Amino acid sequence: MTDNPFTSLHRTGRPLLLPTAWDHASATALAAQGFPAIGTTSLGVAAAAGLPDGTSATREETLRIALTLGSEPYLLSVDAEDGYSKDPAEVGEFARELAAVGAVGINLEDRMGSAALHAAKIAAVKSAVPDLFVNARTDTYWLGDGDRAQTTARLDAYRRAGADGAFVPGLTDPGEIAALVKSLDVPLNILYSPAGPTVPHLADLGVRRVSLGSLPYRRALGAALEAVAEIRAGRTPRGATPSYQEVDALSRRGTADGAT
């Protein structure tokens, strides 16, 4: 593929830590912390729309958030579940739509289905949008039993189909991670887990990208519930609380003093 800034972020001296957003405010707030790239979380997008995650029900919501975020001054990678179709051509067309509104990366999961079909989807995306960074996810540790040989075989098929990166959520064992890094010739993406290795440890293991998945969304929801519980109990909520003005400013996309 033609190199782009997002690809380059996988080749620095430290892993790309990719925070995940579910709306404009969360993405803008994260970018303000200095993150050059922002991902989306399919769970957060689905939950915000009242739809189930992982069922290919959020195609339009995913395109909507890409349209909202794709023109912002950071690089955008979109979690597109399984591509929202079993037809590789339709997945390729969806990828083209994402790229047209500014996305530079796409995450595609195999859900432990046919590896050949997933490889065909990846090939269709690369044919439709050669410069789009395809992060090929296998769910062998997320939904399966964590078989290393199966993981390696699936990722090899996806790499040969044109995948630019490999994503193995649920893999937390340092030895397994290090072994997988050695078997790959594309960057390995690991889903951060509070119970797993720290980001510096993952860097030492050779991981090139660390995703946060739905963790920021779930933490935000948890913080809201904790605040309400504290107030109901007659206590003052703890933790950081952005002001009304600060949050309102996050939504003012190119407007002046709130004028539209």
Side-chain angles (χ1 to χ4, degrees):
M1 67 179 291
T2 302
D3 220 7
N4 64 45
F6 189 62
T7 302
S8 299
L9 290 176
H10 295 75
R11 298 174 179 166
T12 67
R14 59 183 182 276
L16 166 62
L17 179 59
L18 192 68
T20 40
W22 55 95
D23 60 12
H24 182 266
S26 58
T28 304
L30 289 166
Q33 297 299 306
F35 292 101
I38 305 293
T40 63
T41 162
S42 66
L43 176 63
V45 172
L51 295 170
D53 184 36
T55 62
S56 298
T58 56
R59 184 188 189 280
E60 294 310 310
E61 285 72 21
T62 299
L63 188 57
R64 174 193 56 76
I65 194 170
L67 178 62
T68 301
L69 305 182
S71 60
E72 296 296 321
Y74 46 76
L75 301 172
L76 176 66
S77 181
V78 176
D79 183 349
E81 296 191 11
D82 68 342
Y84 307 112
S85 176
K86 292 183 179 180
D87 182 347
E90 290 184 1
V91 177
E93 178 55 32
F94 183 67
R96 193 195 308 274
E97 291 181 69
L98 291 177
V101 297
V104 297
I106 187 172
N107 203 71
L108 291 174
E109 60 194 48
D110 66 11
R111 297 182 182 172
M112 290 298 290
S114 165
L117 175 58
H118 199 60
K121 291 181 181 182
I122 293 168
V125 170
K126 295 304 292 184
S127 177
V129 197
D131 290 345
L132 192 68
F133 188 103
V134 177
N135 201 37
R137 166 176 160 173
T138 184
D139 288 313
T140 48
Y141 283 79
W142 193 250
L143 301 175
D145 58 5
D147 182 84
R148 185 193 298 180
Q150 184 182 34
T151 301
T152 302
R154 282 177 175 265
L155 293 180
D156 183 60
Y158 304 157
R159 179 196 60 77
R160 286 186 279 107
D164 303 292
F167 185 23
V168 189
L171 175 58
T172 58
D173 179 80
E176 293 283 340
I177 293 172
L180 188 56
V181 167
K182 292 179 180 178
S183 72
L184 294 171
D185 59 2
V186 294
L188 176 62
N189 181 189
I190 291 295
L191 179 67
Y192 171 79
S193 169
T198 63
V199 171
H201 191 183
L202 290 171
D204 291 341
L205 296 173
V207 172
R208 305 312 314 145
R209 173 167 160 180
V210 180
S211 296
L212 298 186
S214 64
L215 180 61
Y217 179 81
R218 291 184 287 112
R219 291 276 295 187
L221 184 58
L225 294 173
E226 287 179 359
V228 170
E230 291 287 291
I231 292 168
R232 182 165 58 184
R235 296 186 291 267
T236 301
R238 296 167 294 174
T241 305
S243 70
Y244 175 92
Q245 291 78 12
E246 288 171 328
V247 175
D248 185 54
L250 297 176
S251 69
R252 301 197 179 280
R253 308 175 61 208
T255 63
D257 299 323
T260 59

